[in-house]
């Protein structure tokens, strides 16, 4: 076999190479044939293979053996660094190309470099690269200009993205889609929709960008309409719609869309599965959650930190703490989200000591906590009534970890102190807050006052709540019942009269749901919408009669 044919054979083998061991064997052949230092075409393919295998160290080594790498070899390594999430190395190599060689960058160089700047949010460097793009005559190159649109969009400079777009002499569908996405990400849905409607050909990324834009602003109806109009839906389309429902609290619909997605033979990815498992967690549907876990295992998903933390959270929220802990301990790698999920699960289930022990173990593993971690830790202290421990952890947040307490942390502390019979101290904490307390914090104080029968502080809380949420009848209901418990009926009548004058009415009842044979049944107090309502009320009447015969007396403690 001639030398040329040997090289071509190696190139073909590199294209189908699937392991680092194969790659090393092929590089040995390259060394044997003396092509490792001089054959730029061969090294270009070798580095491209390294990129596919996420082996940038080997790519850098192979590159370092080249005597005079041309611009295509530089491009291959720059692209490899960007694709393997090492944008800083890509930008360093780009600068070295100017310093050490006479190579001039081409459109492929700039496409990768500007993507590297985008990943790093390197605004000043990106602007310098933009100047070089114009200097080297690529100011009208579609791929390069599309990269610049993305770059400025990620910096929040939609005005500059639009300037680049408007000055493009020619635009392909991807340039249009990039600009639509830029407007949508910035919340400029009017501009995005106007541009979307002008598109010569609406490609899938543009549809996805619009759906995502509507989803982020809570405009579910517009997102649904576009989704139904799409003729071709890809994985991102389905996942975006699932996220749309999940982020807007319509978890049941998110699961339904996932089932439709599978029916359309679209294979989900890690992001999809994480969202669907999270939806199961919020609904508390253990059986469907188990099915999702089984699907993950059957389809060979890597049980990494994202799916892992979602499963830990789902099992804990669905009442299966044992399974939650089992998933946690089986994870090879555990990031902060995994630790947060398991600590929160233990805390919510009342295992305060175990939650605090898990927090200590996380500290030993050198995993830095965040604000979410401390919400779970303080919740654990609240459930167990560990006031001193709670105080200590609250002070540790800022004093040791440099985490500034947020509204949720103050709410936890108020709840902790109130349940421990210390509403006065809770009120002092509220008054010391660096931000204006919200309704959740004042509501926690009011709830604690109801528990401790402290009418004086309850009146302070209701006064604040009447300003923050004047139409919320729940707070007034608590105060009315506190007055009723104290036999202060004149106050009960006075507040009811005030509410009538303000037009505040009792809110619609909350709802709950139960999962039976993989179907979710939702109920609200006194409703008649469920197809089995009559049978259920008949059964409840029968149970009520049996309870009365057994001598049970109904407690009447709520008079609002």
């Amino acid at each position: 076999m001639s030398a040329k044919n040997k090289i071509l054979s190696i190139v073909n083998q590199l294209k189908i190479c699937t392991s680092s061991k194969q790659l090393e064997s092929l590089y040995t052949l390259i060394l044997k044939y003396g092509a490792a230092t001089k054959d730029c075409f061969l090294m270009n393919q070798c580095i491209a293979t390294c990129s596919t295998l996420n082996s940038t160290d080997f790519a850098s080594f192979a590159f370092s053996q080249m005597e005079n790498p041309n611009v295509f070899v530089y491009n291959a390594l720059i692209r490899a660094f960007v694709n393997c999430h090492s944008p800083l190395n890509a930008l360093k190599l780009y600068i070295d190309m100017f310093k050490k060689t006479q190579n001039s960058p081409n459109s492929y160089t700039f496409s990768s470099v500007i993507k590297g700047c985008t990943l790093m949010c390197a605004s000043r460097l990106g602007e310098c690269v933009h100047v070089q793009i114009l200097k080297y005559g690529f100011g009208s190159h579609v791929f390069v200009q599309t990269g610049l649109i993305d770059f400025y969009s990620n910096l929040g400079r939609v005005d500059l993205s639009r300037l680049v777009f408007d000055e493009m002499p020619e635009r392909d569908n991807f340039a249009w889609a990039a600009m639509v996405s830029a407007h949508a990400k910035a919340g400029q849905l009017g501009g995005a929709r106007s541009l979307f409607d002008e598109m010569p050909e609406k490609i899938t990324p543009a549809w996805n960008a619009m759906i995502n834009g509507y989803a982020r602003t809570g405009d579910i109806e517009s997102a649904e309409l576009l989704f139904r109009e799409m003729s071709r839906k890809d994985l991102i389309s389905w996942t975006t719609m699932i996220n749309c429902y999940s982020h807007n609290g319509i978890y049941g619909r998110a699961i339904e869309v996932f089932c439709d997605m599978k029916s359309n033979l679209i294979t989900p990815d890690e992001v999809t599965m994480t969202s669907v498992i999270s939806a199961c967690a919020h609904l508390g549907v253990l059986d469907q959650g188990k099915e999702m876990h089984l699907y993950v295992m059957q389809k060979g998903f890597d049980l990494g930190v994202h799916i892992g933390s979602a499963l830990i959270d789902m099992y804990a929220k669905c009442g299966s703490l044992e399974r939650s802990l089992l998933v946690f301990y089986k994870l090879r790698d555990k990031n902060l989200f995994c630790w947060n999920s398991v600590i929160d699960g233990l805390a919510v289930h009342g295992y305060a000591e175990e939650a605090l022990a898990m927090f200590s173990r996380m500290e030993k593993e050198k995993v830095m906590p965040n604000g979410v971690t401390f919400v779970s830790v303080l919740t654990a202290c609240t459930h167990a009534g560990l006031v001193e421990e709670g105080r200590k952890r609250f002070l540790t947040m800022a004093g040791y970890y440099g985490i500034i307490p947020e509204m949720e942390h103050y709410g936890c502390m108020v709840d902790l102190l109130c349940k421990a019979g210390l509403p006065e101290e809770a009120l002092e904490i509220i008054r010391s807050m660096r931000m204006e307390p919200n309704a959740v914090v004042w509501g926690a104080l009011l709830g604690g006052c109801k528990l401790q029968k402290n009418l004086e502080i309850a009146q302070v809380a209701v006064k604040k709540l009447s300003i923050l949420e004047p139409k919320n009848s729940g707070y007034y209901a608590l105060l009315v019942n506190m007055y009723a418990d104290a036999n202060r009926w004149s106050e009960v009548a006075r507040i009811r009269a005030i509410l009538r004058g303000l037009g505040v009415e009792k809110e619609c009842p909350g709802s709950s749901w139960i999962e039976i044979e993989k179907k979710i049944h939702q109920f609200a107090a006194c409703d008649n919408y469920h197809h089995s309502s009559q049978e259920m009320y008949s059964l409840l009447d029968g149970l009520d009669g049996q309870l009365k015969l057994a001598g049970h007396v109904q407690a009447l403690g709520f008079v609002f």
Side-chain angles (χ1 to χ4, degrees), residues 188-212:
Q188 300 173 2
L189 290 176
R193 187 57 193 254
S194 176
L195 207 61
F196 178 75
D197 291 337
E198 289 177 34
M199 286 184 70
E201 181 186 351
K202 295 179 177 66
I203 59 173
T204 304
W207 287 90
N208 293 342
M210 286 302 306
I211 293 170
N212 187 48

Side-chain angles (χ1 to χ4, degrees), residues 255 276-285 289 310 313-315 317-318:
I255 296 172
V276 177
I277 293 167
S278 179
C280 292
H282 282 92
L283 286 173
V285 286
D313 185 57
M314 181 273 294
Y315 279 124
K317 281 187 168 70
C318 291

